Amino acid sequence: MPLLCFLLDDTWECMNRRLATIKIKGQLERQQLRPAAQLAALALLAAAFGVVVAWRAPGLSLQARDALVRTRGVLVAPDDMVIVAIDEASIARFGRFPWSRAVLANTLDKLAAAQPRAIALDVLFSEATNEKDDAALAAAIKRAGNVIVAAQLVNQNEERGERRATWLHPQSAFAQAAAGIGHVNLALDRDGVARTILLRQIDDAAQAYWTMAIETTRVGAGLTSADLRETPEAVNIGARVIPVQFDSVNLSVAATNDAPVETVRAARLAIDYGGPAGAFAVQTISVTDVLDGKFVAERLRGKYVLIGATAALGDRVVSPFTRAESADGNQNAAPLAGVEVLAHALNTILRARFYREASDGQAFWLAVLMAALTVGALTLAQGRFAGLQQLGAIAALLFGVWLTAYFAFVHWLIVLPVVPMLAACGATVPLVLLRRTLLASGQLDARLAELTNDNGAVLPSSVVILPSQLRPQPAALIARLSGAHAVAILARTPSGYRLLSDYGASLAGAESEPIALPHAPCASVGEALARPSAATEYFETGVPRGMFLRAATLKLEAAGTDLGALLVAFNAAEPPAVATLQLCRELATHYVALLSHDAGQAEGRGWLWRWLPHSLANKGQQLAQLQQRFLRRAGFVNRALHSMEDGLLVCGVDGFIAFANPRAAQIFGLSATALQGQELFDLTGLAQPASANELRDVLTRLLIERAPVEREITIGEAPPRYYCLRLAAVCEGIEQTGAVTGLVATLSDITRQRELQQMKNDVMALVTHELRTPLTAIQGMSEVLAQHEFTAAQQREMHQAINDEAKRLARMIDEYLNVARLEAGAQPLRRETVRVTTLLERTLLLLEPLARARGLRLVRRFAPNLPQLLGDADLLGRAVSNLVTNAIKYSEADGEVVIETGTTANELFIKVSDQGCGIAADELERIFEKFYRVPRIEESDAPGTGLGLPFVREVAELHGGRVTVASESGIGSVFTIRLPLNDAIEKKS
């Protein structure tokens, strides 16, 4: 029973936690979708505007389609259609039209003899003329068997002055003889352009006529009238399907009361014009040529023949090409004759060149897509020259729309809704800019309010750096202090937690906000360590495999306010100490408190503040006042800090530098700009692995105890400089008791104090160790002389020993004083032009007797034409003398000491090589220390004070150079003085 209760409670807790997680995720998704919803609403609004523009101004869409037709250009005239033209030449021969119908009868006979597929007679024969001529024409039509005659609806004036629409029917003889009757009416748009034809119209006797293009197609295919059928979306001519647009109003008619009722719909077909007037010129022959037999009959066999007037006899219509420019740049204003329109309509049906236009719904969604692309283009076009980038992006979009519409029309006859798309693009631009302006204005108001209410000081820089702009890396610092594998710092929000900073593994649910924690954070560090959770409950990716990690969750609070939580994942076998975790929590608390303060300033204002900002004039006045105040304050503080003799560094709580004064840049050998972004703890050596405990102690004193820290550090190597590093925490509030917002570090040069202290130590060492030996010898021999009687020879020997020890004491004091004066800078360099070869010859001349006494040879290997140096000849000579003397002292008899000179790219070197006992590798680092002598050498009989090599080092460094040594035990040593060349000296030694 207890087990069952436990399981039920656990299940109930899991369900509640799951529901809470779903609720939080839902709220987070809504928050994330808010900007996307705004942009989506903006795109929908712009698309609706584009569709409304297309509805209210349909002529724009028609003009856009005409532009596509003109851009496509002229199509090649089809070879299966021939126009027999009643042209100017025919009128000149037969007189003014209408002619005698016997002429047309003769023309039909000659055409029928060529066996065309169908003959469309685009001429009205509604009135009777000469009975003989009428009979001849009717007989010719009957003999041909495939002639289609025309009917037309015209407006005529009645006797009362009213205009009435009247059908002009062909004479009954012609109608009975013809293979079909087709109307030649055109549907003109509001701008007078004939873009479509009505496929079927009804006369005043309720007789429905198909258009002549349809009838010509039917007759040419050898079909009957029954093969013409209407479907809900098309008109079928046998197996040929013609997609058309039907008007919404249908008409039900019956020829007589007893006839069946027929429903007629207004079906429109868009004409695909292949070119302007004269596009069928290559396929046009004159009636005169037909009658004179000047045509090839094979040219008409099996083709569609259209007979009509191309001369200026009657009404002409305007096509999309009428407003096009011709090749010579002039506007092609010639309208089309009716027979040419019939040819284009017939070609549209025969070639199945049917336009496919988008529906209103499709046009709307294409406009939405265009608006979305415009929003994306304006969003991406940011940064420098944003205005030009945005203009270029919009121009590219418009060009892309037109190019897409062109290719879709040319290759697939798809007419894209260009007008709604372009209108949506045009409406999106001001809407996006308006949204940006409102958001920017609201944010500017918020920033002005923050600056107006801010009583804190400005950071010392020419650019004001807000705390929230400091590099946020506290999680990495916490991981370093605690040895954790993963760290996450969360801020508390009304709906959950928000991730501020993380390190190592990824936090589960970090991609969505707010974040729901599986367990409540612990208020006590001891409790968090005593009851840790599995790290996999918090972190999902990046956890090392094969390692059992536990996670401690700490509550972050200040002054009783819940600020957030700190998650630390550590190795279960090596948990962090309580004090370390307490330090980490304090670090995270200060960081969250700082960012929560900055975020609270902006989040405290509602949507009305953001969307209804203050006027620009008001903002300008506030900015002017704040600018003057902050510039005065920042200028004073900036000048004061730049004038400091000590180095000053300002950094965030994570140690990354935000400001450095010129003295600090000089100390580290970097520019002030290069120092920004560097880590203070790395620069000062506190972040080294060996200094981990020291870094922990320093941060504990700064962040928890709020006490300043002072450390001595060394910067540089040749020679090193010593500085006193003082660290202090910058806290909020006048009492400095608020959250820590940063750290301030000062660097004071204490190299001089170190040298003075070292000098005191050296003097003590000299007196304690070096001077005591000769003084003891002098004192002992003096006491012996006073207490005992010696022979004259013995007394002289003892007096000589006392004299030697006194000289040794004096020499040691002189050598020490020489080194001390050089180190202290008390002995200035007497710079002059130095001929190196001459200097060395003079020095070696004095050392030749000593070398011969030891059985050694001094070998000179001087490079020719050595450049001259600017330096102190006396000091350089003494330095070389020390090296050569040491080489003579520690070399075996019958050997040689080589003195070599030469140059490199920017140095002159003096090298002294011996074949002596050499120096062990572990002793090389100390041979330039004062009073230090190699132990094995001290056991020999070679006298020395341990001050010669320090003297050589000081002389080389005073000249801007250095001294190096290479040695091997039992083989010998090589000492090299390297001096920088002076480019101003051009003479050669």
Side-chain angles (χ1 to χ4, degrees):
M1 190 65 181
L3 177 61
L4 179 59
C5 293
F6 173 77
L7 292 176
L8 290 175
D9 291 341
D10 186 60
T11 303
W12 181 256
E13 182 180 356
C14 291
M15 291 178 60
N16 289 335
R17 189 186 308 131
R18 180 61 178 170
L19 291 175
T21 303
I22 294 174
K23 182 178 180 181
I24 291 175
K25 287 186 176 180
Q27 294 175 353
L28 173 62
E29 291 175 356
R30 287 193 294 271
Q31 291 180 0
Q32 289 181 334
L33 290 177
R34 187 175 302 165
Q38 293 176 358
L39 295 177
L42 185 147
L44 292 175
L45 181 61
F49 173 78
V51 173
V52 170
V53 168
W55 284 348
R56 300 297 297 174
L60 294 176
S61 298
L62 297 177
Q63 293 295 333
R65 191 173 71 183
D66 292 348
L68 290 174
V69 173
R70 292 192 295 268
T71 305
R72 178 202 62 193
V74 179
L75 300 176
V76 178
D79 59 357
D80 60 349
M81 284 191 298
V82 177
I83 295 179
V84 177
I86 303 174
D87 54 5
E88 300 294 342
S90 301
I91 293 176
R93 177 175 176 178
F94 297 108
R96 184 177 181 180
F97 197 84
W99 305 324
S100 170
R101 291 177 178 175
V103 176
L104 292 179
N106 192 14
T107 302
L108 283 176
D109 287 337
K110 289 184 177 295
L111 292 175
Q115 299 180 359
R117 184 182 296 271
I119 301 175
L121 191 57
D122 190 9
V123 180
L124 291 175
F125 302 107
S126 59
E127 297 179 354
T129 61
N130 183 279
E131 182 177 352
K132 181 179 178 181
D133 293 340
D134 292 345
L137 180 58
I141 293 173
K142 188 173 182 63
R143 285 192 298 271
N146 58 355
V147 177
I148 302 97
V149 295
Q152 185 177 10
L153 181 66
V154 298
N155 292 322
Q156 293 182 344
N157 294 326
E158 295 185 345
E159 296 179 355
R160 293 177 297 180
E162 297 179 357
R163 294 183 62 82
R164 180 180 178 185
T166 304
W167 276 92
L168 300 180
H169 299 282
Q171 290 292 311
S172 59
F174 302 144
Q176 293 174 2
I181 302 174
H183 75 79
V184 291
N185 299 320
L186 293 175
L188 302 181
D189 293 316
R190 294 183 180 180
D191 55 357
V193 179
R195 299 183 180 87
T196 60
I197 56 175
L198 289 172
L199 297 187
R200 197 177 186 191
Q201 283 189 299
I202 302 175
D203 64 5
D204 46 6
Q207 177 66 41
Y209 292 117
W210 292 96
T211 183
M212 180 165 282
I214 294 290
E215 286 292 337
T216 303
T217 304
R218 178 187 65 80
V219 172
L223 302 175
T224 63
S225 299
D227 293 321
L228 287 176
R229 303 182 308 277
E230 284 187 2
T231 64
E233 296 181 354
V235 171
N236 295 341
I237 307 176
R240 188 185 298 273
V241 179
I242 304 175
V244 294
Q245 297 178 355
F246 289 101
D247 291 348
S248 57
V249 179
N250 300 331
L251 182 62
S252 299
V253 297
T256 62
N257 293 334
D258 298 333
V261 177
E262 183 180 3
T263 300
V264 179
R265 295 184 296 173
R268 297 177 181 270
L269 173 65
I271 303 175
D272 180 43
Y273 287 94
F280 289 88
V282 296
Q283 295 295 106
T284 301
I285 58 178
S286 175
V287 171
T288 303
D289 294 335
V290 173
L291 294 176
D292 292 343
K294 298 179 180 180
F295 72 98
V296 181
E298 290 296 328
R299 184 180 177 186
L300 302 182
R301 191 179 306 278
K303 297 183 180 180
Y304 295 90
V305 176
L306 312 179
I307 303 175
T310 59
L313 299 179
D315 295 337
R316 292 187 168 224
V317 296
V318 177
S319 73
F321 282 98
T322 301
R323 296 184 177 88
E325 290 185 355
S326 58
D328 57 2
N330 297 321
Q331 191 173 28
N332 185 1
L336 267 69
V339 69
E340 290 182 298
V341 177
L342 174 60
H344 287 295
L346 181 60
N347 184 60
T348 300
I349 297 174
L350 295 179
R351 305 289 176 271
R353 297 187 60 84
F354 307 124
Y355 294 163
R356 289 181 286 176
E357 299 189 14
S359 63
D360 290 342
Q362 294 171 339
F364 175 76
W365 289 113
L366 287 174
V368 170
L369 176 62
M370 186 63 186
L373 292 176
T374 305
V375 171
L378 294 177
T379 302
L380 295 177
Q382 298 294 330
R384 193 176 183 185
F385 306 114
L388 294 178
Q389 293 183 33
Q390 292 172 358
L391 287 177
I394 297 302
L397 273 179
L398 297 180
F399 177 75
V401 170
W402 180 254
L403 192 63
T404 303
Y406 171 77
F407 277 102
F409 179 77
V410 170
H411 295 285
W412 303 290
L413 292 177
I414 297 176
V415 182
L416 293 180
V418 177
V419 172
M421 295 173 70
L422 296 183
C425 177
T428 303
V429 174
L431 288 176
V432 170
L433 297 180
L434 177 61
R435 177 179 178 271
R436 287 184 183 175
T437 301
L438 292 175
L439 291 177
S441 184
Q443 293 173 358
L444 182 58
D445 283 336
R447 301 290 84 77
L448 287 173
E450 291 177 1
L451 292 175
T452 304
N453 299 327
D454 187 10
N455 295 323
V458 182
L459 280 176
S461 174
S462 57
V463 179
V464 178
I465 303 176
L466 298 177
S468 58
Q469 293 175 313
L470 297 177
R471 186 175 177 180
Q473 290 293 337
L477 180 60
I478 291 174
R480 178 188 299 172
L481 294 173
S482 61
H485 292 273
V487 175
I489 301 177
L490 307 177
R492 183 70 176 178
T493 64
S495 56
Y497 290 93
R498 177 168 56 95
L499 180 64
L500 295 182
S501 179
D502 61 349
Y503 173 84
S506 300
L507 185 67
E511 68 280 357
S512 61
E513 292 184 0
I515 301 171
L517 296 179
H519 303 288
C522 299
S524 170
V525 175
E527 181 184 357
L529 289 175
R531 296 189 303 173
S533 305
T536 54
E537 296 188 38
Y538 296 94
F539 299 96
E540 54 186 8
T541 59
V543 177
R545 294 183 178 180
M547 183 179 294
F548 184 59
L549 296 183
R550 304 294 289 174
T553 311
L554 295 174
K555 185 177 183 181
L556 305 179
E557 58 182 355
T561 303
D562 186 3
L563 298 179
L566 170 65
L567 304 180
V568 180
F570 52 85
N571 189 350
E574 299 177 357
V578 174
T580 300
L581 209 55
Q582 178 66 30
L583 171 62
C584 295
R585 180 165 73 171
E586 289 297 325
L587 183 64
T589 301
H590 299 320
Y591 179 73
V592 175
L594 175 64
L595 294 189
S596 298
H597 173 75
D598 292 341
Q601 295 282 343
E603 294 177 358
R605 295 172 173 85
W607 65 271
L608 188 60
W609 178 276
R610 295 193 301 269
W611 289 100
L612 296 177
H614 294 173
S615 65
L616 292 178
N618 180 267
K619 294 182 180 66
Q621 294 176 358
Q622 294 185 55
L623 280 176
Q625 297 172 0
L626 290 172
Q627 182 183 17
Q628 295 176 2
R629 181 173 58 180
F630 277 92
L631 285 179
R632 286 194 299 267
R633 182 187 301 178
F636 171 76
V637 175
N638 209 15
R639 288 190 296 270
L641 296 179
H642 278 74
S643 302
M644 291 179 59
E645 289 296 328
D646 292 340
L648 176 67
L649 299 172
V650 180
C651 57
V653 293
D654 50 5
F656 286 89
I657 298 173
F659 168 80
N661 70 346
R663 176 57 181 155
Q666 181 183 359
I667 291 173
F668 290 103
L670 300 171
S671 64
T673 304
L675 274 178
Q676 292 184 5
Q678 300 283 339
E679 191 181 39
L680 174 65
F681 306 130
D682 285 334
L683 290 175
T684 57
L686 295 177
Q688 299 298 326
S691 305
N693 294 331
E694 183 179 3
L695 176 59
R696 186 179 297 109
D697 295 339
V698 168
L699 292 177
T700 300
R701 285 183 57 82
L702 289 174
L703 301 180
I704 297 181
E705 300 176 7
R706 308 292 176 87
V709 176
E710 185 173 313
R711 290 289 188 277
E712 183 177 316
I713 63 173
T714 305
I715 299 177
E717 296 180 355
R721 306 292 296 182
Y722 300 94
Y723 296 91
C724 179
L725 172 65
R726 297 181 179 90
L727 294 169
V730 179
C731 306
E732 289 187 342
I734 301 177
E735 301 296 333
Q736 296 293 306
T737 58
V740 177
T741 59
L743 302 175
V744 174
T746 58
L747 294 166
S748 301
D749 193 345
I750 58 171
T751 305
R752 181 61 178 169
Q753 291 86 329
R754 288 268 307 191
E755 291 176 350
L756 293 175
Q757 184 63 38
Q758 185 63 36
M759 187 178 296
K760 294 179 183 179
N761 297 336
D762 293 343
V763 171
M764 293 299 297
L766 177 65
V767 174
T768 304
H769 301 92
E770 306 300 332
L771 298 182
R772 178 175 293 178
T773 300
L775 288 175
T776 302
I778 293 172
Q779 179 184 359
M781 284 185 285
S782 300
E783 291 177 353
V784 170
L785 285 172
Q787 294 175 2
H788 303 280
E789 293 293 336
F790 295 96
T791 64
Q794 290 176 334
Q795 289 180 3
R796 282 194 301 272
E797 183 178 356
M798 297 184 70
H799 286 146
Q800 184 63 39
I802 291 174
N803 185 49
D804 291 342
E805 292 298 329
K807 289 180 179 179
R808 178 185 173 191
L809 179 61
R811 185 172 63 253
M812 188 179 302
I813 293 175
D814 289 340
E815 291 180 356
Y816 173 76
L817 292 177
N818 290 335
V819 175
R821 280 195 294 267
L822 291 177
E823 290 180 340
Q827 180 173 344
L829 290 179
R830 294 188 295 271
R831 290 187 179 273
E832 58 183 351
T833 302
V834 178
R835 295 180 180 271
V836 178
T837 303
T838 303
L839 174 67
L840 294 178
E841 287 289 1
R842 185 168 57 249
T843 302
L844 296 178
L845 181 63
L846 299 175
L847 296 176
E848 282 285 359
L850 178 61
R852 286 196 296 270
R854 301 278 296 185
L856 299 171
R857 298 183 304 279
L858 298 181
V859 180
R860 298 166 176 80
R861 295 177 183 173
F862 299 157
N865 300 324
L866 281 177
Q868 299 179 14
L869 293 176
L870 280 179
D872 192 318
D874 179 59
L875 291 178
L876 290 174
R878 291 163 61 185
V880 173
S881 178
N882 279 344
L883 292 180
V884 176
T885 300
N886 285 344
I888 293 172
K889 285 181 183 180
Y890 303 118
S891 295
E892 300 293 336
D894 297 330
E896 63 182 20
V897 176
V898 180
I899 299 90
E900 182 182 356
T901 63
T903 59
T904 60
N906 54 3
E907 287 182 336
L908 183 148
F909 63 85
I910 303 172
K911 186 182 299 183
V912 179
S913 306
D914 62 56
Q915 299 173 348
C917 56
I919 305 172
D922 56 348
E923 302 292 337
L924 290 177
E925 295 181 357
R926 302 193 58 190
I927 60 175
F928 291 102
E929 296 179 5
K930 290 189 288 290
F931 306 118
Y932 181 79
R933 299 183 68 204
V934 179
R936 190 170 62 84
I937 296 177
E938 285 193 347
E939 294 172 1
S940 66
D941 58 350
T945 61
L947 294 173
L949 291 180
F951 178 81
V952 175
R953 182 197 63 189
E954 291 296 332
V955 171
E957 291 180 353
L958 281 176
H959 285 81
R962 55 198 172 96
V963 59
T964 61
V965 60
S967 182
E968 187 175 350
S969 298
I971 296 179
S973 304
V974 179
F975 287 85
T976 305
I977 299 176
R978 300 182 182 274
L979 303 173
L981 290 174
N982 192 326
D983 295 337
I985 304 297
E986 298 180 356
K987 296 181 180 180
K988 307 295 180 180
S989 60

